[in-house]
Amino acid sequence: MPLIKEAHKKFKDYLKTAKHRITPERFEVLEAALNQDGHFGADDLYVSMKSNKSNISRATVYNTLELLEQCGIVARRNFGDNISRFEASINRKNHDHLICTNCGEIKEFTSPRIQKIVDEISLELGFDPTGYSFNIFGRCTDKNCKHKHE
Amino acid sequence: MPLIKEAHKKFKDYLKTAKHRITPERFEVLEAALNQDGHFGADDLYVSMKSNKSNISRATVYNTLELLEQCGIVARRNFGDNISRFEASINRKNHDHLICTNCGEIKEFTSPRIQKIVDEISLELGFDPTGYSFNIFGRCTDKNCKHKHE
DNA sequence: TTCAGTGCAAAAACTTTGCAGGAGG
DNA sequence: CCTCCTGCAAAGTTTTTGCACTGAA
């Protein structure tokens, strides 16, 4: 099943289950979110949709991203600059991030040991984990690491 | 050496080295920051200082927290609510956080394995790490976990 | 003396909210 | 038909910036 169709179905099911209404605007946001590549801010998405002649409003974008987060189609990320970033997470492996504090480049990595630590610590401290975020900050050693400002 | 004295010295040395001026306001912010307990936001600190009759300005608080961060006296934390939190880090062991998404409670934990993962991943991907953040989100199992909103 | 640092207020950046009209169930 | 959702704009929050003055070196 193509990704977009699957996401569509998942979102629709979620909306029904959670007694949210099914509106064209919500699916418009869903598709725009899946079209973004990599990480994007809520406002980025709004601007991008607006420049594609959409009639959407800011409030709807923010509201819908929250719904998409709740049903696991997008994930909210926080890279230390006080902006909520999102990324499509449907059908993607869990992964974490390396953030270059010089050029803004974000690399991804996976390590199964991290989930293991999450579970162990949570058990130990009496905590029911729903998620985690793990970001490494530093400088990438790419020779073209300059002021690339995403 | 008492903590406050040591921090004082460290900050002074840093300011000299980095060619920043040594001003009473900066030390006022330093002391106020060390007096906060646990995690605090930049604006919290400003308000707290103001209510203690300080004549400080917002700009100075923000500016000084950045300097304190650069020299390792405070650490910036991000718990997913788009507010920069700080905490005194001088003479404290590295630690990470469990955040209860229901009551806002923040617990701390340490795990030496995390630093090991950071180093390995960085080496593997060609990255020079300067720090990391590791937050686990979930619900604490305390029976009094309600809407405690810090 | 000189210029980085300060206080103040205004602007900026991101997000949330209030309201009236409109459409989904 | 009853709400929930939408668009719009305004307000809210947190942080940054511009400017003229001050004080550290």
Side-chain angles (χ1 to χ4, degrees), chain B residues 7-106:
Chain B
H8 220 274
K9 180 179 186 321
K10 186 169 180 179
F11 192 31
K12 197 168 171 180
D13 289 348
Y14 169 75
L15 291 175
K16 275 190 189 166
T17 310
K19 301 218 185 307
H20 291 294
R21 288 189 178 161
I22 289 165
T23 69
E25 287 84 358
R26 287 180 170 163
F27 289 96
E28 205 187 325
V29 174
L30 167 63
E31 295 189 16
L34 295 181
N35 273 334
Q36 299 288 115
D37 40 279
H39 308 90
F40 57 93
D43 215 68
D44 296 343
L45 187 62
Y46 170 71
V47 170
S48 149
M49 292 178 75
K50 274 303 195 188
S51 67
N52 285 331
K53 319 283 182 225
S54 171
N55 194 37
I56 203 86
S57 84
R58 259 198 180 77
T60 304
V61 173
Y62 278 87
N63 160 47
T64 305
L65 281 172
E66 191 138 323
L67 296 174
L68 289 170
E69 185 192 357
Q70 281 164 26
C71 68
I73 293 174
V74 305
R76 186 187 297 259
R77 304 286 187 178
N78 223 294
F79 297 132
D81 56 358
N82 294 335
I83 303 174
S84 277
R85 309 303 185 91
F86 296 86
E87 65 184 328
S89 66
I90 190 168
N91 275 359
R92 291 203 60 198
K93 263 193 308 194
N94 277 341
H95 62 270
D96 298 288
H97 298 88
L98 286 158
I99 298 111
C100 178
T101 50
N102 185 239
C103 71
E105 170 96 8
I106 296 173

Side-chain angles (χ1 to χ4, degrees), chain A residues 136-149:
Chain A
I136 303 176
F137 299 95
R139 291 188 59 151
C140 53
T141 47
D142 296 358
K143 57 186 167 311
N144 54 357
C145 167
K146 291 210 171 55
H147 292 287
K148 198 166 34 174
H149 289 315

Side-chain angles (χ1 to χ4, degrees), chain A residues 14-30:
Chain A
Y14 169 76
L15 290 176
K16 275 190 190 167
T17 311
K19 303 221 184 301
H20 291 294
R21 288 188 178 160
I22 290 165
T23 69
E25 288 83 358
R26 288 180 170 164
F27 289 96
E28 205 188 326
V29 173
L30 166 64

